[in-house]
Amino acid sequence: MENETQTATADQNTNTASTQVLGGRGGIIGVKAGMTQVYGEDGNVLPVTVVELKPNTITQVKRADKHGYSAVQIGFLPKKSSRVNKALTGHYKKSGQPGFYHTQEFRVDADKALEGFAEGQKLSAEFLKAGDLVDVTAVSKGKGFQGVMKRYHFAGGHKTHGASVSHRQIGSIGNRADPGKVFKGKKMPGHMGHKKISIQNIQVVKIDLEQGFILLNGSVPGPKSGLVTIRKAIKA
């Protein structure tokens, strides 16, 4: 009974541990809430993107001797237990949640940076403060199947002198008998957007850990409610 009580107490302490700050570049996942504007210290208006900071739960700590590299796996946006299969339920068991909609890893240089981390703990954005530069990664808005004028800003065809029903055509795409083919990489109609995009050196205007939001100067890729990964700027 004493061993069982000690084990239960240890598990409870792990799940209720204080938030941790990831070493190195750091990293946190948030949700894009939209854009607004605030006044800077000089009185100028700054366009800012609001990123909501929701709990980042550690689901697995990976070490070099066992997994081949050092990293912290993060679960984001909890799922209901009825929507998680048995394999993932077992994987997420130590985190204290039945499952997550999004899982992501933050790598670190060595196992030393993983000291103090355990499954079930929460990552904190305390490594950021106003004025810092960060790199932001998100998936851009999807535009569907688009033509070359929208996708690559082609000029289009003539709008006069009998150019009927060819105003937005791509035009010639090939050459003569030599080489007699269309080269790979030719700009043509196709799926536009919905790509992973990173923007470097975005300035943090304000961060409020109590209310759970961060203001980033300028625009951030992706639609509202899209996931945003924020790291310390690598080229600051």
Side-chain angles (χ1 to χ4, degrees):
M1 290 295 294
E2 293 181 358
N3 294 335
E4 294 179 358
T5 304
Q6 293 176 357
T7 302
T9 304
D11 293 340
Q12 185 177 3
N13 292 336
T14 301
N15 292 332
T16 59
S18 59
T19 55
Q20 297 288 331
V21 178
L22 192 62
R25 290 183 62 193
I28 202 78
I29 308 173
V31 177
K32 182 177 177 179
M35 291 195 69
T36 184
Q37 58 186 21
V38 296
Y39 289 96
E41 296 180 355
D42 54 0
N44 292 329
V45 176
L46 298 175
V48 294
T49 299
V50 183
V51 179
E52 184 180 0
L53 299 176
K54 294 188 176 182
N56 287 233
T57 306
I58 299 178
T59 57
Q60 187 180 11
V61 179
K62 295 191 174 183
R63 304 184 184 278
D65 56 350
K66 183 176 181 180
H67 303 94
Y69 62 96
S70 305
V72 174
Q73 186 186 90
I74 304 302
F76 192 67
L77 301 177
K79 268 185 180 182
K80 294 181 180 179
S81 58
S82 59
R83 298 183 178 180
V84 185
N85 59 35
K86 290 185 178 180
L88 290 178
T89 300
H91 178 72
Y92 294 129
K93 184 177 181 180
K94 292 183 179 180
S95 67
Q97 296 287 345
F100 298 90
Y101 281 99
H102 180 72
T103 306
Q104 185 172 327
E105 289 185 359
F106 291 107
R107 290 201 180 192
V108 295
D109 296 333
D111 288 350
K112 293 182 179 180
L114 299 175
E115 295 180 0
F117 288 95
E119 290 81 357
Q121 293 177 340
K122 311 292 184 184
L123 281 188
S124 173
E126 295 175 357
F127 65 95
L128 297 175
K129 62 182 183 298
D132 287 350
L133 296 178
V134 295
D135 295 340
V136 177
T137 302
V139 178
S140 63
K141 291 182 179 180
K143 305 292 184 180
F145 191 95
Q146 298 296 336
V148 291
M149 290 185 68
K150 181 177 179 67
R151 194 181 185 196
Y152 296 112
H153 308 290
F154 277 25
H158 296 289
K159 295 179 176 60
T160 57
H161 302 293
S164 177
V165 206
S166 60
H167 308 301
R168 302 181 66 87
Q169 296 296 323
I170 185 175
S172 176
I173 63 172
N175 298 283
R176 299 183 179 183
D178 183 18
K181 66 176 182 179
V182 178
F183 287 106
K184 290 182 179 180
K186 173 65 181 174
K187 294 179 178 179
M188 298 181 72
H191 186 80
M192 181 179 177
H194 196 70
K195 293 182 178 180
K196 188 176 181 180
I197 296 178
S198 296
I199 298 182
Q200 296 180 330
N201 296 335
I202 294 182
Q203 188 176 30
V204 177
V205 176
K206 181 180 179 180
I207 180 169
D208 192 328
L209 297 178
E210 293 183 358
Q211 297 187 9
F213 71 86
I214 181 172
L215 302 182
L216 302 176
N217 186 15
S219 60
V220 169
K224 292 180 182 179
S225 301
L227 300 186
V228 179
T229 302
I230 304 173
R231 293 184 178 91
K232 284 186 177 180
I234 195 172
K235 297 180 181 178

